[in-house]
Amino acid sequence: MASDVILPALLVWLLPTLVSAGVVRRQAEDLEERSPPCLSYVMDGLLHLDCSNRGLKELPDELDTTAQVLLLSNNNFHTFPTQLQNFSRVVTLDLSGNHLSHPIPSYLENWDKLQTLDLSNNLYDTWTTNGQKYSIKNLDLSKNKINAVDDRAFTTMPNLRFLDLSENRINDLPPEVFSEAHKLDRLILSRNYFSDVPSFQSPSLRSLHLSSCQIANINVDSLVGMGSLVELDLSMNQVEAIPENFASYTLQELNLSYNSINALTDNSFSSLPHLAVLDLRGNEFRDVWSTSHFASNPFLRQVYVKGNRWSCEGFSVNLLLTYEFLTKEPTKIVDRESLICYTPSNVTQLSWQQAYIRTWHPVETSTPPFTTIALMVGVIIGIVITSCVCRGLVSITRPDQSRPPPDTTTLNLNGTATQPRVESVILRVPLDPPPSYEDALLMPRLNSSFHSLPDFVDEEEPRNYRRSRSIGDLTETRSRIGDRRSMRRPVEIHARISID
Ligand SMILES: *[C@@H]1O[C@H](CO)[C@@H](O)[C@H](O)[C@H]1NC(C)=O
Ligand SMILES: *[C@@H]1O[C@H](CO)[C@@H](O)[C@H](O)[C@H]1NC(C)=O
Ligand SMILES: *[C@@H]1O[C@H](CO)[C@@H](O)[C@H](O)[C@H]1NC(C)=O
């Protein structure tokens, strides 16, 4: 009987839960079915198919195989997806951010439009070839784990122009590896583990990037096999010296910033006749260069020197000549403000030019910083004086209202003074302790009061004035003791004296 009741009740209770769970599941399935995993659109006249960021392990069926830009980045591909072979018009294939580690499939040989292949951020540890030729122009293999590259890997890419192998684990490459890539123009090898500048044989290479590679050594003939090289980036390495007669007939831009170079010689750049841009920031130069270091570089137009601690010791004329050479027109020092002395201490922060001039022509020097300081001091003094004068004026105009002058009592003694003035004097009395008798005799206030009693003196005889003075003193003192409001008493006394 009890179970007959409990079972339906349980069902009634569970039903909504079961139903809602089913609904949720249906909704999720619908969502997956409804939103196609790949977007298709036309941009720049090319049909794009975007299947990126979808966690795909395989490509969905029924994709438009005429797509020209195929974006498959950030998925879960461990191999090249099998459906890929049905495409053939692809110009750009982006497979970055997957788990690929196998050589590129041979059917890509038939993709004669393929120009750009992005395989960055995958799991390649070696790069080999299966012998087919590919039409690829731009190949991105950065952010893999490549430590070995097949000698012939790029002989099969006759159209290759741009190759990015940065952020891998390459510590050496055979010199001939690019010799068959006749169109290779730009090669990025930054963030690898080279110890020397590789001596590639590449007649076409124009730009070589070897930044952050732990390179400590440059061989004098490293660049000889790169007959078109224009730009060499060796920044952020551990180079301590540029070899004498380091040669390239074509090199125009040399980036040696953030290395450990501490000196140049007249032969550092003597075999780089087309050198135009030179970045030597963040090295360990101390001795000011000589203009003779650049005697063979007529096209030099940009030099960067920031972050070196120049020593101006000796104050030789080099300071002046090199400063002028680097800052005058055709040759432009880009960071002119970096040509400043670090030592000795008496010229720290002065430019090479200033250090020289100050040392040898101390009188003629103009001192703009000091002039400015003097000007500022003058302005400050002016402000202070002005404010003092203003305060003085204010205090002169005030006392009438705030505080009665000491002579007020005098007027009271005249007997013609008004009551409020007497009151204001009385208010001041409690602040003073009661004077002793001796003190009272010497009290200046009453003395001065009587001296400055013009009205009283004019009206009365001088004799009375003198007498009243002595008696007033005494009377005033006594009356003040014990009675704060007795200030009016002197007035009465004087009145009596006047009557006498
Ligand atoms: C791809 O092409 C093969 C034949 O080469 C065919 O069997 C297959 O159905 C095609 N796949 C798609 C998705 O079109
Ligand atoms: C040289 O390399 C550094 C660091 O890689 C970079 O910041 C700088 O812009 C480069 N200099 C030039 C002139 O390109
Ligand atoms: C700085 O000190 C050096 C000695 O170390 C001296 O030869 C030079 O004249 C001084 N320069 C200036 C500008 O005072």
Side-chain angles (χ1 to χ4, degrees), residues 333-352:
I333 192 102
V334 180
D335 42 3
R336 175 189 287 245
E337 69 283 359
S338 302
L339 293 177
I340 54 171
C341 305
Y342 185 75
T343 52
S345 57
N346 63 350
V347 290
T348 299
Q349 298 296 328
L350 293 187
S351 75
W352 297 2

Side-chain angles (χ1 to χ4, degrees), residues 211 233 235-236 253 255 257-258 277 279 281 304:
S211 177
D233 181 359
S235 63
M236 305 199 196
E253 287 193 42
N255 194 339
S257 63
Y258 308 103
V277 179
D279 194 338
R281 274 179 278 191
Y304 298 80

Side-chain angles (χ1 to χ4, degrees), residues 60-63 65 83 85-86:
D61 296 332
E62 292 159 16
L63 290 175
T65 55
Q83 289 94 328
Q85 58 188 302
N86 293 45

Side-chain angles (χ1 to χ4, degrees), residues 288-391:
V288 167
W289 298 329
S290 157
T291 53
S292 59
H293 299 342
F294 307 100
S296 312
N297 312 109
F299 302 109
L300 193 62
R301 60 184 160 82
Q302 282 182 27
V303 184
Y304 298 80
V305 298
K306 197 175 180 177
N308 288 289
R309 297 180 167 183
W310 302 104
S311 165
C312 296
E313 206 79 58
F315 301 95
S316 80
V317 75
N318 259 346
L319 284 171
L320 198 60
L321 295 180
T322 309
Y323 184 90
E324 277 173 7
F325 170 77
L326 289 173
T327 56
K328 86 170 184 249
E329 252 322 299
T331 303
K332 272 217 180 75
I333 192 102
V334 180
D335 42 3
R336 175 189 287 245
E337 69 283 359
S338 302
L339 293 177
I340 54 171
C341 305
Y342 185 75
T343 52
S345 57
N346 63 350
V347 290
T348 299
Q349 298 296 328
L350 293 187
S351 75
W352 297 2
Q353 189 188 36
Q354 283 173 326
Y356 178 82
I357 295 173
R358 288 261 183 100
T359 302
W360 300 109
H361 307 279
V363 187
E364 296 166 23
T365 59
S366 69
T367 55
F370 293 108
T371 313
T372 314
I373 290 167
L375 195 69
M376 285 174 69
V377 168
V379 168
I380 290 166
I381 288 171
I383 290 168
V384 168
I385 288 171
T386 311
S387 75
C388 286
V389 167
C390 286
R391 276 191 203 176

